[in-house]
């Protein structure tokens, strides 16, 4: 009985609207009243009405046009409606057209939707057309999902199908409907993974700023983040090759890496397989002393460096028949060529802390006087290297090119602590000399580390500083305490010879602030005070004579030593009595 009453009301309202629209009555002077039982009462002359009093608003029916899916998977397109409350909706009928080359096997579901109580009839038998009808005895109410339509995506990556609702009607057209059609696009899967440093000692070190490129029908690329992670999509159909590559963030390559290679070659140590990959900078699938030499040349900026300083990856790339699905855990290992020891540090907040220094070791450039237009030997001194396992060191030395210039072979290790080391140097620009030395056995002792050979080119009275820049023992451990020096040029008429040396304890420690006497054979004497590192120097000493050198200290006693001066004496060390 209730259903019949609602039907009479609806028909009465429809009839009234037709009368007003067709019968020519003025809408400003009529009134419609639909009472119980569907009785229609004409309006009085005092009523003011508009069409809106009788026509319900149009409902909106929408399918999203941004639906994406993967190939060969199910995808659902919800049909959404605006609020149907009070609009008297008992049924809906529509056709949904789609591209059967992209989508297939449509399935209609009203579970959990606004139409969950309705009787739904579906005809999916015509490819590309889905016919749907739904009805129920009670009015629909609320807004949201009216119906869910699911398909299986069969088209290629990048293809799309429009979802067109035409025709669409509630209650044979009342209320009216405003329809927004939808679209489903088939997209690719994603490729994701991590890139870590293969030669890291521990723990794994992420490698940021790696370019990961996908070559295929639609090229794509991305970069690893600070955690070494990457993920990207947007691929097209067909096969793809994904390749990591990297430039920059180069650090950790030192003479120590050359020394490790040299030790491996002579079987003092055995490099790991990953270290061997990093060591083979000549790229001939062998690790030899030539690789060590190429790394040394890289350090001093000589162009012949092989593959030193470049990045390689393991695996170098990955091939895919297609990227329709997600591919996760597509990890790669990164190796910096020439960085053999595994001390590379990522330029991120996740970088490993520096290794604690085992000691600080001094290196000193002396104060030297020399004659203009003459060769100069500059003895660099160092503290005791014994027990520190030093295999290599490197430095830049700045000087004034208007005063001195390096000789063609500016490094001499003969008679020094560096004797037997392989030395590579490069005067990269006027005023800057780059040097690296390495060996297979650790250094022992204190004294003259290496002799630097220059030629004086400036006028008498000119002075050139000798400034260490980034002096490094091995890979920075032990730390370096570097003391700068200078070269002063003298006139041949006043120069004389130079006697230079150092006061040391019996165990090789410096003895500072102590009087040193130079006593001539005829009784004349001169006195200087040793520096904070125990160094002393007498300039303008008459050559060809014999002198006695003594030292006077409160804590130490020194036995006198006799010295005959010919040319300059630059390494006259005086040791205290035990």
């Amino acid at each position: 009985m209730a259903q019949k009453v609602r039907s009479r009301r609806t028909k009465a309202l429809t009839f009234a609207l037709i009368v007003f629209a067709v019968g020519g009555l003025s809408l400003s002077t009529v009134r419609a009243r639909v009472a119980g039982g569907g009785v229609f009462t004409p309006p009085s002359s005092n009523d003011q009405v508009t069409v809106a009093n009788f026509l319900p608003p149009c409902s909106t029916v929408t399918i999203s046009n941004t639906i994406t899916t993967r190939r060969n998977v199910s995808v659902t397109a919800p049909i959404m409606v605006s609020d149907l409350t009070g609009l008297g909706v008992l049924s809906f009928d529509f056709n949904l057209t789609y591209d059967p080359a992209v989508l297939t096997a449509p399935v209609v579901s009203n579970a959990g939707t606004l139409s969950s109580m309705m009787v739904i009839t579906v005809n999916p038998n015509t490819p590309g057309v889905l016919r749907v009808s739904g009805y129920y005895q009670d009015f629909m109410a609320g807004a949201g999902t009216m119906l869910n339509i699911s398909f299986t995506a069969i088209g290629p990556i990048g293809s799309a199908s429009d979802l067109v609702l035409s025709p669409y009607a509630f209650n044979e057209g009342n209320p009216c409907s405003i329809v927004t059609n939808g679209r489903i696009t088939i997209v690719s899967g994603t490729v994701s993974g991590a890139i870590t440093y293969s030669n890291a000692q521990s723990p794994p070190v992420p490698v940021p700023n790696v370019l990961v490129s996908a070559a295929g029908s639609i090229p794509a690329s991305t970069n690893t983040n600070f955690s070494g992670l990457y993920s990207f999509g947007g691929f097209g159909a067909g096969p793809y090759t994904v390749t990591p590559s990297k430039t920059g963030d180069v650090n950790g390559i030192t003479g120590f890496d050359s020394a490790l290679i040299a030790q491996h070659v002579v079987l003092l140590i055995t490099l790991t397989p990953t270290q061997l990959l990093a060591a083979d900078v000549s790229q001939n699938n062998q690790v030899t002393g030539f690789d060590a030499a190429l790394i040394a040349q890289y350090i001093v900026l000589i162009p012949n460096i092989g593959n030193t300083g470049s990045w390689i990856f393991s695996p170098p790339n990955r091939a895919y028949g297609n990227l329709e699905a997600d591919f996760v855990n597509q990890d790669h290992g990164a190796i910096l060529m020439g960085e053999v020891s595994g001390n590379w540090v990522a330029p991120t907040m996740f970088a490993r802390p520096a290794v604690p220094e085992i000691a600080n070791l001094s290196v000193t450039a002396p104060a030297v006087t020399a004659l203009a237009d003459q060769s100069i030997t500059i003895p660099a001194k160092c503290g005791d290297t014994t027990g520190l396992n030093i295999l290599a060191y490197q430095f830049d030395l700045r000087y004034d090119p208007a005063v001195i210039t390096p000789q063609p072979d500016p490094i001499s290790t003969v008679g020094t602590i560096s004797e037997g080391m392989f030395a590579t140097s490069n005067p990269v620009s006027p005023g800057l000399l780059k040097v690296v030395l390495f060996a297979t056995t650790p250094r022992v002792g204190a004294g003259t580390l290496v002799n630097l050979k220059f030629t004086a080119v400036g006028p008498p009275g000119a002075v050139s500083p000798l400034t260490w820049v980034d002096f490094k023992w091995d890979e920075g451990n032990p730390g370096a305490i570097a003391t700068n020096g200078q070269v002063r040029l003298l006139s041949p008429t006043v120069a004389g010879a130079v006697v230079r040396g150092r006061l040391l304890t019996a165990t090789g420690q410096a003895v500072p602030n102590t009087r040193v006497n130079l006593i001539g054979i005829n009784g004349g004497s001169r006195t200087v005070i040793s520096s904070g590192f125990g160094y002393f120097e007498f300039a303008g000493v008459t050559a060809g004579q014999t002198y006695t050198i003594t030292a006077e200290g409160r804590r130490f006693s020194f036995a006198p030593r006799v010295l005959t001066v010919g040319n300059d004496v630059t390494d006259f060390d005086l040791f205290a009595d035990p």
Side-chain angles (χ1 to χ4, degrees), residues 253-264 288-289 291-297 299 338 340 391-392 422 436-440 475:
I253 302 176
T254 68
F256 185 69
D257 298 299
S258 293
L260 292 180
I261 293 174
Q263 286 186 314
H264 173 82
T288 68
D291 297 297
L294 292 180
I295 294 173
Q297 288 184 320
I299 294 169
V340 181
L391 296 176
F422 180 86
V436 59
L437 295 94
F438 66 90
T440 60
E475 293 183 327

Side-chain angles (χ1 to χ4, degrees), residues 41-289:
T41 303
S44 69
S45 60
N46 295 325
D47 289 327
Q48 300 293 321
V49 297
T50 64
V51 175
N53 293 104
F54 305 102
L55 294 177
C58 290
S59 62
T60 61
V61 181
T62 304
I63 303 179
S64 173
N65 62 3
T66 60
I67 302 173
T68 60
T69 185
R70 307 289 169 78
R71 190 170 183 270
N72 295 323
V73 300
S74 177
V75 58
T76 297
I79 299 178
M80 310 296 293
V81 295
S82 58
D83 193 357
L84 300 178
T85 305
L87 300 184
V89 174
L90 294 173
S91 67
F92 56 79
D93 300 280
F94 64 84
N95 288 351
L96 176 67
T97 60
Y98 59 92
D99 186 346
V102 177
L103 304 173
T104 189
V107 175
V108 179
S109 173
N110 64 343
T113 70
L114 299 178
S115 65
S116 61
M117 301 299 295
M118 302 184 78
V119 176
I120 307 297
T121 306
V122 177
N123 180 1
N125 295 327
T126 302
V129 180
L130 176 67
R131 295 176 174 87
V132 181
S133 178
Y135 68 91
Y136 194 58
Q137 62 183 6
D138 290 331
F139 297 130
M140 296 183 70
T145 302
M146 187 190 75
L147 211 59
N148 285 311
I149 314 295
S150 298
F151 299 87
T152 298
I154 61 172
I157 294 174
S159 63
S161 172
D162 291 327
L163 303 178
V164 180
L165 293 168
S166 180
Y168 187 95
F170 287 119
N171 295 345
E172 298 179 345
N174 182 24
C176 57
S177 303
I178 300 174
V179 175
T180 300
N181 296 317
R183 186 178 178 86
I184 294 177
T185 302
I186 298 180
V187 298
S188 70
T190 60
V191 178
S192 61
I195 298 182
T196 55
Y197 193 58
S198 296
N199 203 23
Q201 296 170 352
S202 66
V205 176
V207 182
N209 307 319
V210 176
L211 175 65
V212 186
S213 303
S217 57
I218 300 177
S221 64
T222 189
N223 288 84
T224 55
N225 61 18
F226 279 173
S227 299
L229 303 177
Y230 73 94
S231 179
F232 64 137
F235 311 113
Y240 268 80
T241 300
V242 176
T243 304
S245 62
K246 181 174 175 60
T247 58
D249 295 338
V250 175
N251 62 68
I253 302 176
T254 68
F256 185 69
D257 298 299
S258 293
L260 292 180
I261 293 174
Q263 286 186 314
H264 173 82
V265 170
V266 298
L267 303 182
L268 289 175
I269 63 171
T270 300
L271 298 179
T272 68
T274 302
Q275 287 178 315
L276 291 173
L277 287 174
D280 183 21
V281 295
S282 66
Q283 296 181 288
N284 69 339
N285 297 319
Q286 301 180 54
V287 174
T288 68

